[in-house]
Amino acid sequence: MTEIPEDEVTAPWWEATRSRRLTVQRCGRCGLAQLPPRVLCTGCGSTASRLEPVDGQGVVDSYTVIHRAPDPAAEAPYTVARVRLAEGPILLTALVGVAHPRCDLPVTLAWRPLPDGRALPVFTTEE
């Protein structure tokens, strides 16, 4: 797997993944929740934000099944989905253990460990 970089803005978000906590960035001025973390709020441009935990529930609003991976190390087929979290932000992620993906599918958070101790949020469902 390719190394996933972090910077001063995303480092606290990645640190939370080490303890398997999914967080979103909440603007202190307008209240917008966004993911991934950014320097500025995409709603009002404020720099006043904080990370807050979310429960990891969401709904698939779009997906694609990859049958031939661009990275030879990736095992195909796999599903990439846009998941709208209950708190509002959209996360581009993988669906795991989902035999029949579809739009409007309720999903819940799972984790894919990375070699350095961090983890990628992925989503699954009980089918």
Side-chain angles (χ1 to χ4, degrees):
M1 177 179 278
T2 306
E3 183 177 325
I4 300 173
E6 61 183 60
D7 58 29
E8 61 276 356
V9 175
T10 62
W13 185 87
W14 281 111
E15 188 59 34
T17 73
R18 291 179 186 280
S19 57
R20 307 307 190 258
R21 287 183 300 116
L22 182 61
T23 59
V24 297
Q25 188 179 44
R26 177 81 58 190
C27 178
R29 182 189 295 163
C30 73
L32 179 78
Q34 64 186 19
L35 191 64
R38 299 169 176 91
V39 173
L40 300 175
C41 171
T42 59
C44 71
S46 173
T47 58
S49 64
R50 66 190 179 285
L51 290 179
E52 62 181 38
V54 294
D55 68 4
Q57 302 301 308
V59 175
V60 172
D61 72 6
S62 183
Y63 71 93
T64 188
V65 178
I66 309 298
H67 293 280
R68 190 168 63 184
D71 180 353
E75 191 173 317
Y78 60 92
T79 304
V80 176
R82 276 179 30 131
V83 171
R84 183 173 299 278
L85 297 175
E87 294 79 10
I90 294 172
L91 182 60
L92 188 62
T93 185
L95 293 184
V96 295
V98 178
H100 305 288
R102 62 178 166 76
C103 290
D104 298 323
L105 179 69
V107 290
T108 191
L109 178 64
W111 293 97
R112 180 175 290 157
L114 295 172
D116 64 2
R118 298 179 299 169
L120 286 175
V122 297
F123 286 78
T124 191
T125 189
E126 294 179 19
E127 291 191 313

